[in-house]
Amino acid sequence: MSRSNPAFRIPRKRLAGMQGAWTKMWDPPAESNPPTPELLTPNNPVPAFMQAQLPDDFRMNVPGTVERDLMNKVVMPTWDNQKELVFFAFRDNGLQSPLNDGIWPAPTIRVPRGVIFHCLAQGHGPKPHTIHWHGLEPTPMNDGVGHCSVEIGHYTYQLQPNFIGTYFYHCHRNTVQHFEFGLYGMFLVEPPDAFDQQDPNLPNFAGGYPRRTAANLEDFSQFSDKFVGGDPVWGVAGPFDGALEDPDPHAFTVEYDVEALWVLDDRDSVWSDLASNGKAFYPGGALTQDGQLSGEAVTPAPGTDVQRPGFDDQFPRGFFHDYNADYWFVTGVPVPAHRGETGTITSGNIVPAALNSGVAGMQVDVNAEVDQVVLVRVLNAAYNTIEVTFPVDVTIIAFDGRALGVPPYGRYNHAFELKAGTAYRMSTARRFDALIRSSNPVNAFAEVKFFDTNGQKVLDPEPLLVTARIPIVIS
């Protein structure tokens, strides 16, 4: 289609008179507890599984329902004890003290493919809030994008995840502030039988390893004993008498023995100092000399009765365009480095089962045995570009929640090998899944380079801020 002579024209709507829609996000709806349209009975087995496996740590309050409570303030000292960082944390109301005191990153949600998933969400602080299920495909009312769906209050989200992979959830209210301040967590879709006790001879089998994830590894002989193929045309998409799933729940999946979660994030401590109030973006918000919000009314701009955030408030103009990260993290583990330095995170970090949907043993740094299959899930939660470099060859099997090369999409992409020492570049909110299987011992570090995207000059490379090192030990 020619740009100068297009075959189709899309009429543009004028914005005049639509200011109310634009300002909806800043004018919380009076209805704080809207009903969920077409509410179904949830059949997600994970909350009941957690209650059975973790009776001292977890209580299922609503059958088959995950709970998330937004805007719980957490203050953490920095690794060098120079400052305190404020986080806006999710809390799982099913978790028992002390784990329910606000967690960052938020507890990981794991769910089998194809179940009816419910999440009862409640918000604190200035309303409204949303939960956006990033990369998943709910109905518009349940998607959680500001303006386009329900902004809570108090709401039961409903969705059916149908693609195995790595996703995340986050508040989409004032995303530039709430995401940066930590309102996010991982969302992992697993095979349909991931929480079945498949082998009664293995105690708590469903809450441990090995586990499986989606992949097409037909061309990778090193995984031939761990990989299960399927229909070369339809994959797991059918048609199977109208059902969505292949009769084999393991079709196009690979078994892995060790799982590591790398959530890579940066923080600007000045933002933490000056914008730690949830109303920092509200019209009328105004900073006083001591950095607090005054709450004073603001006079609307001439010719309009609408208070425009970023214009009619008295917050420093351009504040949220001035991002200067000075602290860095890997899944909440601090990187002990200042700007220009290289820091190595501590070893032996294990995600508690209560924060991982009852699954015990998820790692941050990698500790595995020779010939074991290691799955590394990577999320760039920083507000800048990053580069990840592995010390060994890895196989990239999925990107942004979609397994590469799995039919019916096999003609469009494929899994590939990333050689040791090759940098893999990611922008904000991107994810990838990588497999490691080494027949030789490894005692080395993966490197994550955090760049200053905002500080880049045209045609110049992005300034490198910090290099984080993540231990990988295979023995």
Side-chain angles (χ1 to χ4, degrees):
M1 182 173 69
S2 168
R3 179 179 177 183
S4 59
N5 184 25
F8 305 99
R9 291 185 179 277
I10 301 174
R12 300 286 185 182
K13 292 184 179 179
R14 292 178 58 83
L15 294 178
M18 298 293 291
Q19 293 90 340
W22 188 79
T23 59
K24 174 174 176 287
M25 193 170 183
W26 321 102
D27 185 15
E31 176 62 70
S32 62
N33 302 307
T36 303
E38 301 176 325
L39 188 69
L40 303 172
T41 300
N43 60 354
N44 177 16
V46 179
F49 171 82
M50 291 182 67
Q51 181 165 276
Q53 299 297 325
L54 307 165
D56 296 331
D57 290 332
F58 183 80
R59 179 184 63 242
M60 181 174 61
N61 297 314
V62 182
T65 300
V66 171
E67 295 184 73
R68 286 296 180 269
D69 197 283
L70 297 90
M71 288 297 282
N72 295 278
K73 186 176 181 179
V74 177
V75 180
M76 299 182 187
T78 57
W79 64 271
D80 55 4
N81 292 316
Q82 296 299 306
K83 305 199 71 171
E84 289 187 332
L85 297 178
V86 174
F87 292 83
F88 296 165
F90 278 101
R91 182 168 60 191
D92 181 348
N93 283 340
L95 290 178
Q96 306 301 294
S97 181
L99 293 174
N100 66 349
D101 197 24
I103 302 134
W104 176 75
T108 295
I109 296 174
R110 307 182 83 108
V111 59
R113 175 170 64 87
V115 302
I116 303 300
F117 170 81
H118 279 186
C119 178
L120 174 58
Q122 303 174 75
H124 298 287
K127 296 180 179 180
H129 294 285
T130 73
I131 298 181
H132 174 50
W133 310 97
H134 199 112
L136 294 150
E137 297 170 343
T139 63
M141 287 289 285
N142 289 286
D143 185 58
V145 174
H147 305 276
C148 303
S149 56
V150 173
E151 299 179 353
I152 49 138
H154 182 148
Y155 182 69
T156 297
Y157 285 94
Q158 175 175 273
L159 57 111
Q160 184 183 45
N162 283 313
F163 290 93
I164 297 169
T166 302
Y167 306 85
F168 69 110
Y169 61 99
H170 64 86
C171 181
H172 224 308
R173 161 78 175 178
N174 294 350
T175 313
V176 67
Q177 181 195 29
H178 288 198
F179 184 70
E180 158 62 11
F181 274 67
L183 269 174
Y184 66 82
M186 298 302 290
F187 189 106
L188 309 180
V189 182
E190 300 197 275
D193 62 346
F195 285 86
D196 295 348
Q197 185 74 350
Q198 300 169 52
D199 188 344
N201 296 315
L202 296 174
N204 301 331
F205 177 78
Y209 297 87
R211 308 185 75 78
R212 307 191 72 89
T213 193
N216 186 350
L217 295 169
E218 290 176 336
D219 297 329
F220 296 83
S221 59
Q222 68 268 41
F223 301 107
S224 59
D225 59 327
K226 303 288 186 179
F227 169 66
V228 175
D231 188 294
V233 176
W234 291 99
V236 297
F240 300 100
D241 297 327
L244 285 173
E245 62 184 61
D246 189 296
D248 182 357
H250 294 168
F252 288 106
T253 67
V254 60
E255 181 182 285
Y256 58 90
D257 306 291
V258 174
E259 182 178 36
L261 183 64
W262 295 357
V263 180
L264 309 167
D265 203 352
D266 54 12
R267 288 297 311 268
D268 181 342
S269 66
V270 175
W271 279 32
S272 176
D273 294 341
L274 300 181
S276 60
N277 189 302
K279 288 189 175 181
F281 259 117
Y282 274 48
L287 280 182
T288 60
Q289 291 297 323
D290 60 358
Q292 302 299 312
L293 286 170
S294 68
E296 296 176 356
V298 176
T299 303
T304 176
D305 58 356
V306 177
Q307 294 179 334
R308 302 170 301 168
F311 292 88
D312 297 327
D313 57 26
Q314 297 176 40
F315 214 79
R317 185 74 175 270
F319 176 86
F320 284 107
H321 297 286
D322 185 15
Y323 186 75
N324 295 282
D326 51 359
Y327 289 96
W328 294 266
F329 299 86
V330 179
T331 320
V333 181
V335 178
H338 295 116
R339 281 194 170 208
E341 297 177 345
T342 295
T344 303
I345 68 166
T346 56
S347 300
N349 298 285
I350 302 294
V351 180
L355 304 182
N356 190 30
S357 296
V359 175
M362 175 188 266
Q363 305 180 2
V364 179
D365 53 293
V366 174
N367 195 328
E369 299 176 5
V370 167
D371 286 331
Q372 282 189 320
V373 177
V374 180
L375 171 64
V376 181
R377 303 182 188 265
V378 182
L379 163 66
N380 180 11
Y383 258 176
N384 283 303
T385 301
I386 64 170
E387 281 183 358
V388 180
T389 305
F390 291 90
V392 295
D393 296 348
V394 303
T395 304
I396 305 298
I397 59 170
F399 205 89
D400 288 346
R402 294 294 189 270
L404 300 174
V406 170
Y409 308 111
R411 62 187 296 184
Y412 304 112
N413 50 55
H414 56 83
F416 62 95
E417 184 179 66
L418 187 70
K419 288 291 187 182
T422 304
Y424 201 62
R425 199 171 182 85
M426 302 173 70
S427 55
T428 300
R430 307 306 298 270
R431 292 142 280 138
F432 71 83
D433 296 347
L435 293 180
I436 303 172
R437 193 176 201 187
S438 177
S439 57
N440 298 307
V442 175
N443 191 348
F445 301 92
E447 285 192 347
V448 181
K449 294 185 181 299
F450 291 88
F451 294 93
D452 181 6
T453 305
N454 293 327
Q456 182 185 23
K457 297 180 180 178
V458 176
L459 301 180
D460 285 347
E462 296 166 314
L464 173 62
L465 296 178
V466 146
T467 300
R469 300 203 309 172
I470 305 173
I472 295 181
V473 177
I474 299 175
S475 57

